[in-house]
Amino acid sequence: MEKTDIAGNISRIKAGLPPSVRLVAVSKFHPAESVEEAFRAGQVLFGENRVQEAAAKFDELRSRGIEPELHIIGSLQRNKVKEAVRIASCIQSVDRMELLSEIEKRCVQLGKAVDVLLEIKTGEETKSGFTSGNDVRAALSALSAGEFPHVTVRGFMTMAPNTDDEKAVRDAFASVRRLRDSMAAEFPGLDLGELSMGMSGDYRIAVEEGSTMVRIGTAIFGERDYGEGA
Ligand SMILES: *Cc1c(COP(=O)(O)O)cnc(C)c1O
């Protein structure tokens, strides 16, 4: 098999993105060497969905003076929050209120502040994400009231339904953008500017629907090997 042209993939994807849209290179299941290769090609921001895997990889890179920025994008168990806060600058996958208090607690212990995105469930097959506008409102109310002073909300994240039905995908992204617009009007003191929407297969649609951050794995690093040793 031919070696994946990571640098070439990054520059091709970036050339097709508006300059205001950030690229998150999703390096899950790919080794530290692949992250390093992307970093040396100018890619600064990475996404990982499993905290232990991310910690091993990014601690190793940082011990060698390579300092990529890391966002956690996968659903998070409470007992992984401490490690997530230690290694990441943003947790994009906050899918329930309970996580916010845990993140705040760990931030205080570690003397850190982190950004978060609230994950909104739009696809049937994804398990995680807020499903009700009232739950989103409750979380934003608490953030707005200053209950979590070390946690700064920046916007919303979603995974669209995994389907070839382009209209369904577009509707999912548009619904998150509309939710954001209405919550931004309700909570003018919060910054809800970020919409993390779009993966390898659907990021062009996501950008058309207002995404500010696309999370791309396969189109940069190639297919993931979920087999033994992954
Ligand atoms: C794996 C993953 C991605 C990247 O998916 P690709 O299809 O490989 O681009 C994006 N977002 C989340 C939350 C993921 O888990």
Side-chain angles (χ1 to χ4, degrees), residues 8 46 51 71 86 92 113 125 138 164 196 200 204 208 215:
F46 294 82
V51 174
H71 288 186
R86 182 179 71 77
Q92 294 200 4
E125 52 283 277
D164 291 335
S196 175
S200 293
R204 292 177 188 82
E208 286 169 8
R215 308 178 309 271

Side-chain angles (χ1 to χ4, degrees), residues 128-150:
S128 50
F130 284 92
T131 50
S132 106
N134 280 335
D135 290 348
V136 172
R137 184 175 289 110
L140 293 176
S141 292
L143 284 156
S144 169
E147 283 185 32
F148 312 110
H150 297 78

Side-chain angles (χ1 to χ4, degrees), residues 26 28 49 73-74 119 157 159 198-201 215-219 222 224 226:
V26 178
K28 67 187 185 199
N49 68 344
I73 61 172
E119 180 173 358
M157 182 272 246
M159 277 175 97
M199 321 197 330
S200 293
R215 308 178 309 271
I216 299 185
T218 310
R224 288 179 284 273
Y226 297 107

Side-chain angles (χ1 to χ4, degrees), residues 7 19 41 46 57 62 67-68 72 74 117 123-125 135 139 201 217 220:
F46 294 82
K57 231 182 274 185
R62 288 165 179 166
E67 297 282 349
I72 294 297
L117 303 179
E124 284 312 312
E125 52 283 277
D135 290 348
I220 292 175

